[in-house]
Amino acid sequence: MMRIAYHLGVHCTDDDRLVRTLHRNKDLLAEAGIEVPAPERYRNLIRDTAIQLKGQAAPTETQALVLDQIMEAEVADRLVLSWENFLAFPAWAVKGQLYRTGGDRMRAIRNIFPDIEAEFFIGLRNPATYLPELHRRQRGRPYDEFIEGTDPLNLRWSDLILNLRERNPEVQITVWADEDTPLIWPEVLQAVADLSEDIALDGENDLLASLMTGDGMIRLASYLDAHPPQTMGQRRRIVSAFLDKFAQTEKLDMSVELPGWTEDMVTTMTETYERDMAYIATLPGVTYLAP
């Protein structure tokens, strides 16, 4: 039986890096029975099909027709679909809570393929940096209209995860913190594609390359060649040490400037986020990827 891995974003975290990396390795993955179609093959199709079905389960004929348009292979063990708008479009991401309708949307999308098991994958970001970046991407939309009475101090990602679990109780969810992604990127790719640790993917160091100096990346590659890590934990410790020394700090420092926000407010939001992520890691049905 094929499974579908849905990578749900969220906005301002991945920017399609995951699907680009996996699609770059599509031939290697295809040998393992993993299909990674190009996003243009399915994003509009899934959106339009879900609208037409109005939340109802698709008949067998519709399932077959949609899969035929998405997949290149006749059969596969795993199908990877990624879109930051699965949960909501950016304008609807903050409405009293984060992705309030996410659970219902994913149930409707899953109902396009009701006979296929699903898994959800989602990277979450500190609201103290997520909200300013999400607002910045909305093309001059006034902050008051963007936040629309929502209290940023009350936002919890656990509300979204609990909603996804409530509306899709049979679906396993894998979660990670976006801030940890540079350290665990290979594990994220392996989890989404369901690959073993011994399969290296082309591009698995691209994220690090975007954050480190060129000299740092050369030294890291040389060190890893000379001292191949035996486990992912060893690799994380090596990468962390090189990031500490060779990171392009301007790319890691996040400025936060929104009307009415204060330094104390940002500190409180960050502390709340850290506690919330620790709580999410304890939830049944949730696998948490930690460095």
Side-chain angles (χ1 to χ4, degrees):
M1 289 290 292
M2 184 174 71
R3 286 191 173 193
I4 299 180
Y6 293 93
H7 173 229
L8 312 183
V10 296
H11 297 108
C12 309
T13 59
D14 177 72
D15 295 327
D16 276 350
R17 180 179 283 109
L18 184 144
V19 70
R20 287 199 309 269
T21 302
L22 292 180
H23 188 67
R24 187 193 308 179
N25 293 270
K26 67 173 186 175
D27 292 339
L28 172 66
L29 295 175
E31 293 176 5
I34 304 161
E35 175 99 3
V36 187
E40 58 268 21
R41 290 180 69 98
Y42 58 84
R43 288 180 175 172
N44 290 340
L45 174 63
I46 285 179
R47 179 200 62 196
D48 294 344
T49 304
I51 291 172
Q52 292 169 5
L53 290 171
K54 298 179 179 179
Q56 299 302 306
T60 302
E61 297 79 8
T62 300
Q63 294 182 58
L65 180 62
V66 175
L67 277 177
D68 185 59
Q69 294 180 70
I70 291 176
M71 296 177 59
E72 295 182 7
E74 290 294 325
V75 294
D77 296 323
R78 190 173 187 83
L79 175 64
V80 178
L81 305 177
S82 174
W83 196 20
E84 65 179 7
N85 293 327
F86 271 138
L87 295 171
F89 286 94
W92 300 95
V94 184
K95 294 290 182 182
Q97 67 183 55
L98 297 165
Y99 300 94
R100 177 183 292 276
T101 61
D104 285 330
R105 282 175 63 94
M106 287 314 302
R107 183 174 180 84
I109 288 169
R110 284 185 49 247
N111 269 340
I112 299 174
F113 312 109
D115 301 329
I116 302 176
E117 288 190 33
E119 300 173 24
F120 296 159
F121 297 84
I122 184 167
L124 305 175
R125 178 174 174 177
N126 183 354
T129 63
Y130 166 77
L131 291 175
E133 179 62 16
L134 185 66
H135 176 250
R136 186 187 68 80
R137 296 187 186 192
Q138 297 198 21
R139 302 178 181 177
R141 187 182 180 193
Y143 175 69
D144 287 346
E145 179 183 317
F146 163 74
I147 204 68
E148 201 174 353
T150 299
D151 184 351
L153 291 170
N154 290 334
L155 294 175
R156 306 285 188 278
W157 286 115
S158 55
D159 291 336
L160 168 61
I161 302 303
L162 289 168
N163 179 245
L164 285 169
R165 289 287 299 152
E166 178 185 357
R167 301 299 294 146
N168 305 271
E170 66 277 31
V171 178
Q172 179 75 25
I173 305 175
T174 299
V175 177
W176 62 94
D178 183 58
E179 296 80 7
D180 293 335
T181 305
L183 296 178
I184 62 171
W185 185 234
E187 288 123 301
V188 171
L189 295 171
Q190 289 168 359
V192 175
D194 194 25
L195 285 173
S196 62
E197 287 189 7
D198 58 347
I199 298 179
L201 296 176
D202 181 26
E204 67 180 16
N205 289 324
D206 286 359
L207 177 56
L208 283 175
S210 72
L211 299 174
M212 290 174 58
T213 64
D215 180 54
M217 280 302 299
I218 291 172
R219 294 188 183 205
L220 173 61
S222 177
Y223 186 90
L224 291 175
D225 285 342
H227 307 86
Q230 300 303 305
T231 66
M232 281 297 180
Q234 289 181 4
R235 185 187 186 279
R236 285 195 299 269
R237 288 190 290 273
I238 294 168
V239 168
S240 180
F242 275 81
L243 268 176
D244 286 343
K245 189 171 183 179
F246 296 105
Q248 300 181 59
T249 54
E250 70 278 6
K251 293 189 177 181
L252 297 177
D253 293 336
M254 300 292 179
S255 60
V256 177
E257 296 181 5
L258 285 175
W261 283 38
T262 65
E263 186 175 336
D264 286 345
M265 179 178 173
V266 170
T267 298
T268 299
M269 290 175 67
T270 300
E271 292 172 349
T272 300
Y273 166 68
E274 291 171 352
R275 289 193 299 270
D276 195 40
M277 294 297 277
Y279 169 60
I280 289 171
T282 70
L283 294 174
V286 172
T287 299
Y288 190 84
L289 302 180

